[in-house]
Amino acid sequence: MRGYIGWSTFSERIGKSVLAFKSRLESMDDCRWAKKLYNQNGRRSKWTKLCTRLARKCNLGHRVEAGGNGWWLTDENGEGRNWDVKTWMWNIDKNVDKAGLRKWKNAMEAKETLEMYRNKECPKQEDAYCGDFGSELLFKARTMSLTLNARTHRWNESRSKECGKCSLEVDETVRHFLMECEFYREEREAFLTYTRGEVGEARWAELVGEGQEVCEILGLGRDRPELLEKTKEYLMKLWRMRGDGGR
């Protein structure tokens, strides 16, 4: 979900707020009550320990004050003692966003159905879905959850992963369904002719060589709204030809 709407998580927002306030406290006058309480509690308070955990998680460091019980934030190179609040805010935002991106990408590595999403550079808002049948098929193709034989062989009648529409004797995967099955040759050729014109012959050859052409037509590469609409139409044609009807 985050990959579609591009929002930061609540933990990231909390992390930015907490570390930003920590940087403000460090540059605050000692006569301010907030600074007095901070100095009094030092490293013993739960809040200060939370700051330490967040700093480590976001690849930020900290230096203990000589002869004191407090500490101040540093960047990954040990710098930042004399930075102003504005500079720290920028660095904190950058590091928290990087930590969130790492967590997002690592979580995708653990899920097979999100394999294609690993090509996304970062979470960002998408307008790919509008509630129609094409949007439903697009989502299922992206998450490899289309009810093809490779996925449904455990409970379908044939108990086989193989494609029943062609003679290639290979598993009916999303890639086979979209790019290889002989049964949909005519529709595929028309769609790929349009796609190569939209993407460019040279770039398409690169994508094929890298095995990323399926991700591209499913909209997980560059933003190509017109191509994405054509992909939805293509998916609907193939799905109805396959015999699963749809809407």
Side-chain angles (χ1 to χ4, degrees):
M1 180 63 73
R2 184 189 176 193
Y4 287 131
I5 58 180
W7 293 354
S8 58
T9 63
F10 283 113
S11 60
E12 288 174 37
R13 297 180 194 186
I14 290 169
K16 288 179 181 181
S17 300
V18 169
L19 292 176
F21 189 63
K22 175 73 169 74
S23 68
R24 284 183 59 198
L25 282 171
E26 291 172 2
S27 59
M28 199 176 283
D29 250 354
D30 286 340
C31 62
R32 301 280 296 274
W33 275 108
K35 186 63 174 284
K36 288 179 180 180
L37 288 170
Y38 171 69
N39 288 335
Q40 181 178 344
N41 290 325
R43 286 179 286 168
R44 296 172 297 175
S45 71
K46 289 182 179 179
W47 186 83
T48 307
K49 290 176 181 177
L50 171 63
C51 290
T52 306
R53 290 196 301 272
L54 289 171
R56 287 173 179 165
K57 187 184 294 185
C58 300
N59 204 29
L60 294 170
H62 65 281
R63 293 278 181 88
V64 178
E65 294 179 0
N69 62 353
W71 60 275
W72 68 85
L73 285 168
T74 66
D75 68 0
E76 58 268 27
N77 300 315
E79 300 177 356
R81 182 68 176 105
N82 299 315
W83 289 354
D84 58 23
V85 173
K86 187 176 180 180
T87 304
W88 260 120
M89 290 283 285
W90 182 84
N91 275 275
I92 287 167
D93 284 355
K94 179 185 72 172
N95 280 273
V96 171
D97 287 343
K98 282 182 179 179
L101 182 60
R102 283 196 304 272
K103 184 178 180 180
W104 180 68
K105 285 183 173 292
N106 290 338
M108 285 194 292
E109 292 294 330
K111 293 208 174 266
E112 291 183 6
T113 55
L114 297 180
E115 179 182 344
M116 292 190 187
Y117 284 89
R118 297 168 194 164
N119 292 280
K120 292 192 74 170
E121 293 182 2
C122 62
K124 60 182 178 181
Q125 184 176 357
E126 289 191 32
D127 300 317
Y129 306 117
C130 58
D132 61 359
F133 185 46
S135 299
E136 179 184 332
L137 291 174
L138 176 66
F139 176 78
K140 288 182 176 180
R142 285 177 164 188
T143 56
M144 296 188 290
S145 58
L146 281 171
T147 50
L148 302 170
N149 288 344
R151 178 177 173 80
T152 65
H153 66 280
R154 294 182 184 86
W155 60 83
N156 64 21
E157 291 181 4
S158 67
R159 293 292 191 272
S160 172
K161 293 183 179 182
E162 288 187 7
C163 177
K165 296 294 183 181
C166 68
S167 58
L168 295 178
E169 297 183 350
V170 296
D171 292 353
E172 189 187 26
T173 60
V174 172
R175 171 176 284 277
H176 174 76
F177 177 65
L178 293 175
M179 308 299 294
E180 299 167 355
C181 186
E182 298 170 343
F183 185 69
Y184 316 107
R185 184 190 300 274
E186 186 177 337
E187 287 71 24
R188 181 180 305 109
E189 287 177 355
F191 172 68
L192 291 183
T193 298
Y194 172 84
T195 301
R196 287 193 294 269
E198 187 76 13
V199 175
E201 292 287 351
R203 177 56 184 156
W204 183 254
E206 288 178 9
L207 290 167
V208 172
E210 296 167 359
Q212 298 299 319
E213 70 275 25
V214 175
C215 292
E216 187 71 20
I217 66 173
L218 293 178
L220 295 171
R222 286 185 56 184
D223 289 332
R224 304 181 194 275
E226 293 181 4
L227 175 58
L228 201 55
E229 289 304 313
K230 289 290 185 182
T231 299
K232 290 182 188 179
E233 293 174 12
Y234 177 57
L235 280 164
M236 287 190 288
K237 284 180 183 177
L238 266 55
W239 201 249
R240 285 169 179 147
M241 288 179 65
R242 188 178 184 273
D244 287 289
R247 298 178 186 174

